[in-house]
């Protein structure tokens, strides 16, 4: 006589398969390479203005921009040795603190690359590429922000992020230790 299996037996194995499939999918997302190509703007018919900011001014500017864009959900702070972005996420009904620790550098065309050094969820340090893979899937921010898990970085296309009334901003120097942050404001001239 054949032994009849309980419904719980099948549900258990279905749960195991779902967990393994979810883990495989997360690993896949973390390992899929992404490439960024910024479009450099031609320098003809442009007017430029040089901007020099200190850490306090840059923090105030970032706070104002983030309050407008995300209703104050995130806090961005430029420190003497790194840049941090923090906020809260809701996981299974619980609010957890998150924090990204990054090092900024100027990329071609005056854009900014944030090399992510550390990702924290509460008191837990997460693997950077896995956490960024999750962020990439869940993030719905401005088009000028590209999360790149395979390179452990976040690319900021300043031209796209700051474009307003034919003005845009390009970075030229980001020196955390010397408290020097230089940018160029670019206005396309009317023809």
């Amino acid at each position: 006589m054949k032994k009849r299996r309980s419904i719980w037996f099948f549900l258990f194995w279905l749960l195991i398969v779902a967990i393994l499939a979810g883990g495989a999918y997360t690993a896949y997302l973390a390992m899929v390479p992404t490439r960024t190509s910024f479009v450099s703007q031609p320098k003809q018919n442009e007017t430029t203005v040089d901007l020099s900011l200190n850490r306090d001014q840059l923090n105030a500017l970032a706070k104002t921009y983030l309050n407008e864009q995300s209703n104050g959900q995130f806090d961005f702070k430029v420190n003497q040795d790194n840049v941090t972005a923090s906020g809260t996420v809701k996981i299974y009904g619980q609010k957890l603190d998150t924090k990204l620790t990054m090092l900024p550098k100027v990329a071609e065309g005056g854009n900014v690359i944030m090399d992510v050094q550390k990702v924290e969820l509460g008191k837990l340090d997460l693997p950077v590429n896995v956490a960024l893979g999750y962020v990439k899937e869940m993030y719905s921010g401005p088009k000028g922000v590209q999360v790149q898990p395979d390179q452990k970085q976040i690319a900021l296309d300043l031209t796209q992020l700051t474009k307003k009334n034919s003005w845009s901003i390009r970075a030229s120097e980001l020196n955390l230790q010397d408290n020097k942050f230089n940018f160029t404001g670019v206005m396309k001239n009317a023809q």
Side-chain angles (χ1 to χ4, degrees), residues 174-185:
L174 301 173
N175 189 329
L176 297 172
Q177 285 77 27
D178 293 339
N179 197 15
K180 288 184 183 178
F181 305 95
N182 295 317
F183 299 88
T184 303

Side-chain angles (χ1 to χ4, degrees), residues 30-43:
M31 294 179 193
V32 172
T34 57
R35 299 288 174 236
T36 302
S37 59
F38 292 116
V39 178
S40 296
Q41 301 288 334
K43 295 194 179 209

